[in-house]
Amino acid sequence: MKKAILLAVLLILGIGTSQAQLLKFGVKGGLNFANYTGGDVEGYDFKTITSYHAGVVAEIKLFENFALQPELLYSTQGSELDGLGEQIKNELGYVSLPVLAKFYLTKDKLSLELGPQASVLVSERNEVSAEDSNTFDFAVAGGLSYKITDGLFVSGRYAAGLTEPKKDADVKNSVIQFSVGYMF
């Protein structure tokens, strides 16, 4: 009986350990370099704004070299419009949900991340009109991530917007993100 209990405890601990390696949670944050791409706003040039992103991340390891990485981030994007003798800054705050396929290029260190990103507008700092923004943004994201230690990682990503963030302008969000994070 003691052997059976000991075997059951060891089996449960073994399963718990293997499950812990299959699912990890973490936090991340970093810099955004955001701008609008595509069409134009007559008489204005788009200028990049520097902003930030922060949130939580999970990694669900499905195979040795493949995982899914959903994230929940607060991310500020937008652009500065320069022209006609004035500068207008438009900063949009989104809650973003990227769901990325993560392909490990080296053994648990360097990975390629690709996938869709859905975002909902939650705040807007606009020096002109705050009523002309769409509340939903959809993008495709891709980048590289590198694990420095088992927990600490750095990443770089580009997200290309597929929908128009402004109702009156034929533009798309474009953002380059550099992040630092820690997986627990």
Side-chain angles (χ1 to χ4, degrees):
M1 184 68 166
K2 289 181 183 180
K3 288 182 182 179
I5 293 172
L6 180 61
L7 182 60
V9 168
L10 289 175
L11 187 60
I12 290 170
L13 288 174
I15 290 171
T17 303
S18 69
Q19 292 296 325
Q21 292 175 357
L22 296 178
L23 178 63
K24 292 184 177 182
F25 294 97
V27 294
K28 69 181 276 187
L31 288 175
N32 286 351
F33 298 98
N35 204 343
Y36 291 147
T37 60
D40 59 21
V41 177
E42 191 172 318
Y44 288 94
D45 292 322
F46 301 132
K47 303 285 184 189
T48 300
I49 62 170
T50 303
S51 56
Y52 67 94
H53 65 277
V56 293
V57 59
E59 182 179 297
I60 306 161
K61 194 108 179 218
L62 300 176
F63 299 104
E64 184 178 342
N65 293 326
F66 179 75
L68 287 179
Q69 183 170 302
E71 301 175 356
L72 185 61
L73 305 172
Y74 179 79
S75 178
T76 54
Q77 300 175 31
S79 184
E80 186 173 291
L81 287 75
D82 188 17
L84 302 176
E86 63 181 334
Q87 288 186 336
I88 302 168
K89 186 174 183 179
N90 186 40
E91 190 174 280
L92 306 172
Y94 291 100
V95 171
S96 298
L97 178 65
V99 179
L100 306 171
K102 188 171 188 172
F103 303 94
Y104 280 95
L105 304 175
T106 62
K107 180 118 175 85
D108 290 330
K109 291 286 185 189
L110 180 65
S111 61
L112 174 67
E113 302 167 349
L114 300 167
Q117 174 177 296
S119 302
V120 176
L121 183 68
V122 293
S123 69
E124 181 173 15
R125 289 194 336 209
N126 190 336
E127 296 174 357
V128 180
S129 170
E131 294 85 35
D132 67 340
S133 293
N134 291 318
T135 57
F136 180 77
D137 189 54
F138 188 74
V140 174
L144 293 172
S145 184
Y146 185 77
K147 289 184 180 177
I148 297 170
T149 66
D150 281 343
L152 185 65
F153 67 91
V154 294
S155 65
R157 180 181 302 164
Y158 176 71
L162 301 176
T163 57
E164 297 173 357
K166 307 300 282 178
K167 293 176 184 174
D168 60 354
D170 182 25
V171 296
K172 310 272 191 298
N173 274 319
S174 172
V175 63
I176 296 172
Q177 297 178 322
F178 294 104
S179 308
V180 175
Y182 192 83
M183 300 295 276
F184 300 100

